[in-house]
Amino acid sequence: MVKVASNKTKMREQPPEERIRNFEEVPYGYSMEEAVAEANRCIQCKKPSCVQGCPVEINIPEFIRLIKEGDLRNSIRVLKETNVLPAVCGRVCPQEEQCEKYCILAKKMEPVAIGRLERFAADWEAQQGDAEIPRMKKPTGKRVAVVGTGPAGITVAGDLIQLGIEVTMYEALHEAGGVLVYGIPEFRLPKRIVAREIAHVCRMGVKLIKNVVIGTSLTVDDLLKEYDAVFIGSGAGLPWFMEIPGENLNNIYSANEYLTRANLMKAYRFPEYDTPIAHGKVVTTIGGGNVAMDSARTALRLGAKRSIVIYRRSRNEMPARDEEIHHAEEEGIVFHFLTNPVAYHGDALGMVQEVECLRMELGEPDSSGRRRPIPIEGSNFRIPVDVVVVSIGNSPNPLIPNTTPGLETGKWGNIIIDEETGRTSKKGVFAGGDVASGAATVISAMGAGKKAAKSILQYLRDGKW
Amino acid sequence: MIQIVDRSMLVPNIHLLTLEAPLVASKIQPGHFVIIKANEKGERIPLTVADWNREKGTVSCAFMQVGRSTRKLAALKMGDEVETFVGPLGKAIDINRFGTVACVGGCYGIGSIYPVARAIKSAGNRVVSLIEARSRFLLYWEEKIRQVSDALIVSTSDGSKGEKGHNSDRLREMLGEGQSIDLVVAIGCTFMMYAVSEATRSFGVKTIVSLNPIMVDGTGMCGACRVEVGGKTKFACVDGPDFDGHEVDWGLVLARRKAYIRHETVSEEAS
Ligand SMILES: Cc1cc2nc3c(=O)[nH]c(=O)nc-3n(C[C@H](O)[C@H](O)[C@H](O)COP(=O)(O)OP(=O)(O)OC[C@H]3O[C@@H](n4cnc5c(N)ncnc54)[C@H](O)[C@@H]3O)c2cc1C
Ligand SMILES: Cc1cc2nc3c(=O)[nH]c(=O)nc-3n(C[C@H](O)[C@H](O)[C@H](O)COP(=O)(O)OP(=O)(O)OC[C@H]3O[C@@H](n4cnc5c(N)ncnc54)[C@H](O)[C@@H]3O)c2cc1C
Ligand code: SF4
Ligand code: FES
């Protein structure tokens, strides 16, 4: 057997001191040579364990083999058989917990850089111009409405249109793409990539109607009068606050607001763009997930001298992707672990000035399996701040459930579905992605979209519920 | 793209835009608002609706030019288009048989109170409308509002028309004289709504105000529009925008409106 290099082929990146001053993407991606070198590390297992770690079961060894052979056209075809958004997933999937975690090499050395290779193949395709339009089935005369244009909605729309079903996507905002456009920053996922994917489904014939809020502009029942089925992929867009004193002071944002202003509204280009955002010298982000990392890193790029992350557990429990934590550390983000805010203090104009925190220690594991943080009595201390970004989680927006009789929801306002089929409690209505699972991942939203598309097709054929 | 089918300057600084938006027109109810974004680089700003025509599929908004975004809108001509016009948003005002209802408007709210008065009147209530402006040349829609009211009371700060003073003064007088008012609904500048709530508070007359905090999405996704009502944090865009004026934390509403004071100056200078 040939000897396999023990480390992943490095991906060139913008140096930290440079990139914190711009919104350009951080990694440059592999060159052809680098990609082939990395592809050569894959030993082409007969029973590839990586695939079981992939929520959509991409034929990983096959797409990597095709890269090795320089047959990128077919490599991207293999990827797209099961993953309609490889350029997105290659950049944002938590590979270390999925495919790469299960890669056989990971037992002895670094796993194959599956995510980087996926990104490479997808970026190659983008350079070739518009993506291929797949073979489309004959029109069936059936019509489906998709609510929301995040990864779940895009997947359902893309799958159904190919099956000869007329699809209309409805989006509340003025741009399609869901969290991929309003949440995840440009430096991690360039917006042109998302725009290209949206354009692709539209070229296949999907109709996109923006600026329509389902639940108010039109209800789900209105849609059911016009369409044979409805898919709800409206995400988990409702931001949580901690409900502690002073939280409504000015310059305390939810991560959703902070990132929406920066990304979707392009506040980083104010005053060329009209939407403002607070530029603080010291910005403090509360939380430890991807959303928190994105907020803290955005703050640096908006000119913060010091960007602090406050997290109530320790580094080991942080739910963010490894790469994000690594990049954040390289960029000089300051972490206060085992720390939790208890109050905010402001000035006479109502601007936040200080965050008051408690130190924590870790106790027994809780229901999430992570050790529970316990406050240390009397350990209060204050950090001076100009801007705070609260990034402690999101749940589904109640707008649709509240206006849709017969649609059952769970404890967190999530729409209850049958996991295998995406069926809700209401006939003809399917759901999937974050609106059903609660805030999760791009790939799980796509996986849910795939399942729903299949069962929507079944339902359109036999009308059985 | 949404087309402007009519536009006019109602009074200096207050404009009326009528847009072709059949879907919004078919669903809109009094108290709802819309979000409008003039062009690609524009901001999403909320406006209450002042009128609509379901047959023609049009919606009208009265707005006051106060900063960059409203100036962009004021510069639009008939036939021009805006990039985004989304709605209806928020909760509609609960229309019921209340008895006597005072419909109170000031600045842009003179426009916004009109459809509220109309709906409350046609539900069989006695409507007393109160409108105010700094001076008589800033008053508009008096006739329109009179037609959907049993009485119209006009106030101006300088006394150039109607009574001198404010809507809140009139309410205090009316309630002080023992006139019976079952409900007050007020729309307009924050300070006017605050003053009205203070005027009615000691009389215990329920007072609904239409809060106008800074917003971004208008669908409950960002929390920019946080207000405190009865000690609880609410998102004005989905939980409101109408709230009980006696329960609102007005200091917070006023402070949060000023969050971007510095940016607003920069924005004005840049344009
Ligand atoms: C800042 C941030 C960073 C993240 N980073 C990662 C990451 O690195 N890796 C990863 O895998 N996941 C990440 N996630 C999570 C991931 O983005 C989501 O799990 C995923 O986008 C969910 O997809 P979805 O299609 O269910 O919903 P969304 O992407 O949320 O899309 C829902 C869409 O529906 C629209 N909508 C909502 N309500 C209505 C309505 N009433 N009418 C019409 N339209 C409506 C919304 O505007 C939105 O466009 C991140 C999330 C955030 C917020
Ligand atoms: C639900 C809702 C409904 C609204 N309906 C209307 C409406 O029908 N017509 C209308 O004209 N406006 C309405 N507003 C207010 C309107 O959205 C703002 O005036 C607008 O966003 C200002 O944008 P700008 O860029 O022009 O001004 P900015 O540059 O954002 O503001 C300039 C200055 O004016 C102040 N200011 C802005 N608006 C007001 C106000 N209403 N009262 C007191 N001070 C203010 C700001 O605090 C700031 O100091 C509504 C707001 C909400 C939340
Ligand atoms: S487990 Fe690793 S080495 Fe084996 S096929 Fe998958 S990527 Fe290649
Ligand atoms: S405006 Fe964003 S939540 Fe209300």
Side-chain angles (χ1 to χ4, degrees):
Chain A
M1 206 174 87
V2 274
K3 187 158 166 5
V4 175
S6 62
N7 289 319
K8 287 181 179 176
T9 308
K10 273 221 158 18
M11 185 156 59
R12 285 159 298 121
E13 297 179 339
Q14 277 198 72
E17 52 298 348
E18 227 166 79
R19 70 187 190 228
I20 59 170
R21 272 180 264 121
N22 64 52
F23 275 82
E24 311 289 311
E25 195 175 10
V26 170
Y28 293 123
Y30 280 156
S31 66
M32 186 73 206
E33 294 70 38
E34 288 161 337
V36 171
E38 185 59 23
N40 277 326
R41 290 183 67 230
C42 170
I43 57 172
Q44 294 290 315
C45 305
K46 287 257 152 35
K47 286 193 186 138
S49 46
C50 52
V51 177
Q52 76 181 54
C54 174
V56 296
E57 298 182 12
I58 293 176
N59 188 343
I60 293 168
E62 183 60 8
F63 100 79
I64 295 183
R65 187 185 66 80
L66 289 160
I67 292 181
K68 243 187 246 200
E69 295 183 355
D71 183 358
L72 299 178
R73 170 90 40 218
N74 280 310
S75 179
I76 190 72
R77 273 192 197 131
V78 169
L79 278 164
K80 285 200 160 172
E81 271 165 23
T82 52
N83 183 339
V84 283
L85 303 173
V88 174
C89 290
R91 287 172 165 84
V92 307
C93 272
Q95 287 95 5
E96 70 271 15
E97 285 168 26
Q98 301 178 359
C99 52
E100 293 180 15
K101 177 176 177 179
Y102 294 92
C103 169
I104 194 85
L105 303 191
K107 292 203 163 109
K108 296 219 170 98
M109 54 180 99
E110 283 189 1
V112 175
I114 302 171
R116 294 177 185 176
L117 290 171
E118 178 181 23
R119 169 193 162 135
F120 171 76
D123 287 355
W124 174 85
E125 186 201 33
Q127 282 162 15
Q128 315 308 306
D130 288 342
E132 264 178 53
I133 300 279
R135 287 257 309 272
M136 312 287 269
K137 292 242 165 74
K138 273 206 327 278
T140 57
K142 299 284 184 193
R143 312 179 67 217
V144 171
V146 169
V147 181
T149 56
I154 298 173
T155 306
V156 171
D159 279 10
L160 291 180
I161 195 86
Q162 294 179 44
L163 298 168
I165 292 158
E166 217 179 288
V167 185
T168 306
M169 295 200 286
Y170 289 91
E171 171 55 51
L173 293 171
H174 57 272
E175 239 175 86
V179 167
L180 309 183
V181 291
Y182 79 70
I184 304 183
E186 180 76 18
F187 58 81
R188 204 147 72 77
L189 179 63
K191 299 306 148 225
R192 66 184 143 73
I193 291 175
V194 185
R196 184 171 182 274
E197 298 303 342
I198 300 285
H200 180 65
V201 289
C202 291
R203 276 172 50 240
M204 291 198 285
V206 171
K207 209 167 138 204
L208 168 63
I209 305 182
K210 294 183 280 192
N211 301 315
V212 172
V213 182
I214 303 303
T216 68
S217 312
L218 284 170
T219 61
V220 170
D221 284 328
D222 289 334
L223 294 176
L224 284 170
K225 282 182 213 138
E226 266 196 63
Y227 298 92
D228 300 295
V230 174
F231 174 80
I232 303 172
S234 52
L238 183 80
W240 294 348
F241 285 92
M242 294 177 69
E243 295 174 28
I244 56 179
E247 208 173 21
N248 293 330
L249 285 165
N250 285 335
N251 295 347
I252 301 184
Y253 292 93
S254 73
N256 272 6
E257 182 184 354
Y258 194 68
L259 293 169
T260 298
R261 282 181 182 270
N263 297 322
L264 182 70
M265 307 310 298
K266 303 217 165 54
Y268 66 90
R269 287 165 68 181
F270 178 90
E272 181 199 349
Y273 281 73
D274 294 346
T275 304
I277 194 165
H279 295 250
K281 283 205 183 66
V282 183
V283 179
T284 299
T285 301
I286 318 295
N290 286 323
V291 188
M293 296 306 107
D294 284 344
S295 304
R297 296 176 66 200
T298 295
L300 280 182
R301 287 157 174 80
L302 287 172
K305 294 278 167 293
R306 211 171 141 77
S307 178
I308 302 171
V309 168
I310 293 182
Y311 181 52
R312 61 192 184 132
R313 305 186 205 237
S314 72
R315 191 185 188 287
N316 294 335
E317 286 84 22
M318 272 173 74
R321 296 174 73 216
D322 280 352
E323 189 187 1
E324 299 335 312
I325 302 175
H326 170 71
H327 278 152
E329 286 173 339
E330 276 185 350
E331 290 171 10
I333 306 276
V334 180
F335 288 88
H336 285 304
F337 294 113
L338 293 167
T339 304
N340 206 29
V342 288
Y344 298 98
H345 304 280
D347 65 11
L349 290 174
M351 303 284 175
V352 67
Q353 273 188 318
E354 286 179 319
V355 45
E356 180 179 336
C357 301
L358 270 183
R359 300 212 190 276
M360 315 289 278
E361 58 194 352
L362 290 179
E364 296 299 307
D366 64 11
S367 58
S368 74
R370 294 174 303 175
R371 292 177 63 193
R372 183 198 306 275
I374 303 170
I376 303 174
E377 200 88 20
S379 63
N380 304 48
F381 67 101
R382 294 183 179 198
I383 306 174
V385 292
D386 301 309
V387 174
V388 173
V389 185
V390 181
S391 176
I392 58 162
N394 285 327
S395 54
N397 191 319
L399 210 54
I400 293 177
N402 285 349
T403 51
T404 311
L407 194 64
E408 272 177 36
T409 52
K411 195 161 133 210
W412 304 108
N414 51 306
I415 297 179
I416 294 176
I417 58 167
D418 175 73
E419 286 297 326
E420 283 317 302
T421 61
R423 289 177 181 213
T424 66
S425 55
K426 190 175 172 89
K427 185 167 188 240
V429 180
F430 298 75
D434 281 6
V435 73
S437 61
T441 58
V442 170
I443 193 73
S444 60
M446 283 179 43
K450 285 248 162 252
K451 283 185 184 164
K454 248 191 225 157
S455 77
I456 290 171
L457 183 69
Q458 187 62 36
Y459 169 69
L460 294 179
R461 280 198 185 125
D462 61 22
K464 283 203 197 115
W465 194 256
Chain B
M1 286 294 200
I2 310 288
Q3 209 180 31
I4 315 282
V5 293
D6 200 4
R7 59 104 54 244
S8 59
M9 187 169 90
L10 294 169
V11 292
N13 247 351
I14 298 188
H15 304 262
L16 185 75
L17 279 187
T18 301
L19 300 103
E20 188 166 25
L23 187 58
V24 183
S26 71
K27 292 276 177 162
I28 205 111
Q29 299 291 339
H32 276 144
F33 69 94
V34 295
I35 287 230
I36 184 166
K37 177 171 179 278
N39 57 15
E40 193 233 325
K41 294 184 178 174
E43 201 180 2
R44 295 172 65 100
I45 65 162
L47 296 177
T48 319
V49 287
D51 205 355
W52 56 87
N53 185 321
R54 296 204 208 279
E55 286 74 49
K56 289 193 189 149
T58 59
V59 179
S60 308
C61 298
F63 66 91
M64 184 154 77
Q65 183 180 326
V66 291
R68 181 155 175 178
S69 300
T70 43
R71 180 148 35 73
K72 262 192 183 172
L73 294 180
L76 293 170
K77 294 185 287 296
M78 243 168 88
D80 285 352
E81 291 175 328
V82 295
E83 187 209 68
T84 293
F85 188 77
V86 53
L89 299 170
K91 290 194 173 130
I93 287 186
D94 168 41
I95 306 284
N96 229 313
R97 285 292 282 271
F98 302 106
T100 298
V101 181
C103 292
V104 184
C107 59
Y108 74 80
I110 298 179
S112 319
I113 201 70
Y114 166 71
V116 176
R118 180 174 61 188
I120 291 181
K121 171 84 179 145
S122 55
N125 296 282
R126 181 168 170 267
V127 170
V128 180
S129 293
L130 297 96
I131 59 174
E132 74 170 51
R134 230 171 349 101
S135 188
R136 76 173 191 211
F137 74 97
L138 295 173
L139 286 166
Y140 59 97
W141 280 19
E142 284 167 79
E143 266 324 298
K144 239 179 128 149
I145 293 176
R146 202 187 306 276
Q147 279 172 21
V148 296
S149 313
D150 295 277
L152 172 69
I153 301 171
V154 174
S155 303
T156 47
S157 317
D158 63 1
S160 54
K161 186 152 191 198
E163 311 260 335
K164 191 169 160 56
H166 301 280
N167 289 329
S168 50
D169 300 329
R170 302 293 88 75
L171 281 166
R172 206 173 271 118
E173 290 157 13
M174 292 160 74
L175 292 166
E177 286 163 10
Q179 290 192 34
S180 126
I181 298 177
D182 300 288
L183 177 72
V184 175
V185 183
I187 310 185
C189 301
T190 310
F191 199 81
M192 188 276 288
M193 295 192 286
Y194 162 71
V196 164
S197 302
E198 286 311 300
T200 58
R201 186 188 295 276
S202 60
F203 298 96
V205 178
K206 177 146 185 181
T207 301
I208 305 280
V209 294
S210 180
L211 294 185
N212 49 14
I214 293 170
M215 294 188 173
V216 182
D217 60 301
T219 66
M221 183 267 265
C222 77
C225 61
R226 302 198 303 286
V227 294
E228 281 178 30
V229 182
K232 290 218 167 68
T233 296
K234 303 272 179 192
F235 286 9
C237 68
V238 283
D239 300 327
D242 304 321
F243 294 101
D244 182 340
H246 298 152
E247 301 268 307
V248 168
D249 179 339
W250 290 100
L252 183 71
V253 172
L254 288 165
R256 284 189 68 82
R257 279 218 66 96
K258 300 208 176 85
Y260 296 99
I261 281 281
R262 270 183 29 242
H263 292 82
E264 283 153 7
T265 318
V266 173
S267 196
E268 283 297 290
E269 283 165 5
S271 47

